[in-house]
Amino acid sequence: IIAFHLHAKNSSKIDYSIDFVKAYIADKKEEKKTAMQEEEIYPIYSYYSGDNKVIHGRSGMDIVIFYKKFTIPKKRILYFELFEENGGRHIKFTAPNKTIINAEVMQKLD
């Protein structure tokens, strides 16, 4: 199992209600006139430190998302997107293959 610990910070005064988090593996470079191949990955479990998945104005929230173990080819990259509920704001960021390969190994639970 791979766990990603994300920290989302809301710099505005308006609360940000998270509708869902999407993760997918896609090509690094978007070349002209070519179809971009995306492979969505689905979490096993998600944990949100705030109340009801809301990042209040001028504050932050920790999000931990658990996935089945996977690796990413060198020419592809992992994308995360946070979508706002009933809103137009969404956040997109990446995690390169190096992040996964160099991840810390946690102690196994029996």
Side-chain angles (χ1 to χ4, degrees):
I1 294 176
I2 296 176
F4 289 92
H5 179 194
L6 313 172
H7 181 77
K9 185 177 178 183
N10 184 359
S11 298
S12 74
K13 294 180 182 178
I14 300 170
D15 291 351
Y16 187 97
S17 300
I18 299 172
D19 189 14
F20 62 93
V21 178
K22 178 182 175 183
Y24 57 94
I25 299 169
D27 299 332
K28 277 187 181 180
K29 294 184 180 180
E30 294 180 32
E31 298 189 25
K32 296 178 184 175
K33 297 182 182 178
T34 60
M36 188 169 177
Q37 299 292 323
E38 288 184 3
E39 177 186 341
E40 188 167 356
I41 56 173
Y42 299 97
I44 298 169
Y45 180 77
S46 300
Y47 168 78
Y48 298 86
S49 67
D51 51 328
N52 296 329
K53 296 179 8 177
V54 175
I55 307 171
H56 296 289
R58 309 266 175 167
S59 68
M61 172 189 285
D62 289 311
I63 304 166
V64 183
I65 307 172
F66 298 88
Y67 296 96
K68 288 184 179 180
K69 183 180 69 172
F70 64 91
T71 57
I72 303 171
K74 286 188 178 185
K75 293 185 178 182
R76 304 194 85 197
I77 197 161
L78 175 64
Y79 290 90
F80 286 98
E81 288 188 83
L82 272 71
F83 287 85
E84 183 180 26
E85 188 176 299
N86 299 323
R89 301 181 290 179
H90 78 277
I91 303 164
K92 182 177 182 179
F93 55 94
T94 63
N97 186 33
K98 180 172 50 173
T99 303
I100 297 169
I101 299 298
N102 295 330
E104 290 184 34
V105 177
M106 304 279 299
Q107 185 179 20
K108 290 185 180 182
L109 300 174
D110 291 328

